[in-house]
Amino acid sequence: MYMNRSKPLRQDGKFGFHQTRSIRQIFFQECEEQLEELTDGLSELESLQADSDPDPETINRMFRAVHSIKGGAASFSLDAITQYAHAFESILDELRSGKIIMSREIIPVFYRGADRLTDYIAIGEAGGVQNAHELENDISEITALSSF
């Protein structure tokens, strides 16, 4: 009888080092897909006519992309990603609920937000730590949209 020697979990029910590393790699691959979804949505917003309302599904897709990144990052204690994604997600939630009105001024901030999120993900993937002061400034920039 053949016995599979590669058990998915240790005897204590927790993931071993190799399983955790593999799941972490999958998370970062999925981040790339989510970031693409986010930037696709931004492109759609940018192409809107000045008086047009954004498609609610576009905002929902962008929200879900950032929300997924936040959840995965929290699972791996990637705090900078989690904190920044939470701030970004909150602003997207305000946009989709109508608390923030879509305007041309928001789009460049969202693009910078997507760039910052990409940077934080790259730093997290490399095992680095984000400068706390920069993180605070970046969060302040995106949450300032709440006053629009």
Side-chain angles (χ1 to χ4, degrees), residues 49-141:
Q49 299 297 323
D51 295 337
S52 301
D53 289 330
D55 177 13
E57 186 51 36
T58 299
I59 305 300
N60 285 333
R61 283 193 332 264
M62 293 168 60
F63 175 86
R64 285 191 304 269
V66 175
H67 180 76
S68 294
I69 290 170
K70 180 190 81 170
S75 298
F76 293 105
S77 300
L78 297 166
D79 296 334
I81 300 170
T82 304
Q83 291 171 26
Y84 190 76
H86 176 71
F88 201 158
E89 166 192 63
S90 296
I91 294 302
L92 288 167
D93 190 43
E94 288 186 28
L95 181 62
R96 73 182 185 163
S97 69
K99 291 179 183 174
I100 297 175
I101 304 301
M102 187 65 213
S103 70
R104 292 275 169 220
E105 294 80 20
I106 289 175
I107 294 172
V109 178
F110 278 172
Y111 271 114
R112 282 192 301 277
D115 288 345
R116 295 290 88 72
L117 191 53
T118 300
D119 292 345
Y120 292 137
I121 290 167
I123 290 167
E125 186 172 16
V129 177
Q130 180 60 41
N131 177 292
H133 182 69
E134 288 177 19
L135 175 61
E136 185 179 313
N137 287 340
D138 291 341
I139 288 173
S140 292
E141 180 183 23

Side-chain angles (χ1 to χ4, degrees), residues 12-63:
D12 62 5
K14 296 182 180 179
F15 288 104
F17 173 77
H18 294 292
Q19 289 87 11
T20 301
R21 193 170 80 194
S22 176
I23 294 168
R24 186 178 163 109
Q25 288 171 335
I26 292 168
F27 163 70
F28 286 113
Q29 290 168 352
E30 289 178 355
C31 281
E32 290 177 23
E33 295 169 16
Q34 299 301 335
L35 288 168
E36 186 174 321
E37 188 72 35
L38 176 60
T39 56
D40 287 350
L42 287 171
S43 293
E44 289 177 36
L45 292 181
E46 190 174 37
S47 68
L48 288 174
Q49 299 297 323
D51 295 337
S52 301
D53 289 330
D55 177 13
E57 186 51 36
T58 299
I59 305 300
N60 285 333
R61 283 193 332 264
M62 293 168 60
F63 175 86

